[in-house]
Amino acid sequence: MTVRIDISGLPAGRLRFAASPLAELTAMLHVLAEPGHHPQLAGWAADVWAGLRPELAERLREAEFLWRSSRADFLVPARPRPTLAEELDDVDRIDDETYVTAALTTTCGSNRVHFGAPSPLADAAARERALDLAQARGALQEAFAERLLADPAAVRARVRDTLEQCAEAFFDAAWQGVAGHLAADVRRKTDLLRRQGIGAALASVSGAVTLAPDGTGILVDKLQDNAITADGAGVTFLPSVFGHPHLVAVHAPGWQPVVQYPVAAPEPVPLETVTLRLEALAHPVRLRLLRTLARGPHTTGELAHAWDLSAPEVSRHLAVLRRAGLVTPRRQGRYVRYTVNVPDLTALGSDLLAAVLR
């Protein structure tokens, strides 16, 4: 069974890879709702549940069908933003009918359920059908559907507030741990797309995502048979650490196609490496060099001139940073230029990254 995304005539730049805080948050929420799907994260899930305030835990159970077996389409953004707050602002801009339809699809338990015209918000018969479908899924779904249809604004505000509370409770810390890894995967996939084309980029996403033989479509091996056209909006691919092993595809009419794919979790950094990096950063000259390199690649001579140091002195400091894995040398013709390894720097902490990039 296959979801086909028609990309015939789609400009190359309209297929994009990006990281989404909101999509990763809802992947985490799925782990909390279905820890059995993610045995490697069972310890993380248990720790999170143990640390949640009772009110927030109850809220997550109250709305878990928005992300448990499938995701409400508005929770998997086609235009990712740098922060969760910005992506939630985008969700707020969705009109009530679109939001309610997407929420009801997951509430009623199947993406084969469609709510077209007339809208359940305006038509009594459509409303009763939606409530009947939700009732068949359970009391929580029925109660949620009733509230959603009676007062969409209040439910939308409550869902946003719940997600914001999740950010404070566990998401911010978890995102800090995976954001660099996701960014590195985005860079690799984007570079592969640019150098080798869409077929190679799709092959690197998953064995379940392929380019159609005629090159006019992307085929995603999913439980559903469906087709959607990318049109001029394009297709967005979102890497996920917490989503492993699931492959999530947004393919409902009216929504831009999105595929969230799993990437391997980064290997834990050995304590020796962390110690080496902290020692490398303890010297004020090396911090100055890193701040300069954060603005772009530099040669040893350029760094020496910028800080009024001798070239041998700069070389010694760069050697320490290189052994710690914080900088990488790249030869370009006659010159060797150094660049900062931002993902490794990010893993040490957001305060350090902000200080270096400031």
Side-chain angles (χ1 to χ4, degrees), residues 310-331:
S310 69
E313 186 178 3
V314 170
S315 294
R316 286 195 298 272
H317 286 301
L318 289 175
V320 174
L321 293 169
R322 183 179 178 181
R323 284 195 299 272
L326 295 175
V327 299
T328 298
R330 290 183 175 85
R331 179 168 290 279

Side-chain angles (χ1 to χ4, degrees), residues 41 182 199 219:
L41 292 170
L182 297 180
L219 308 179

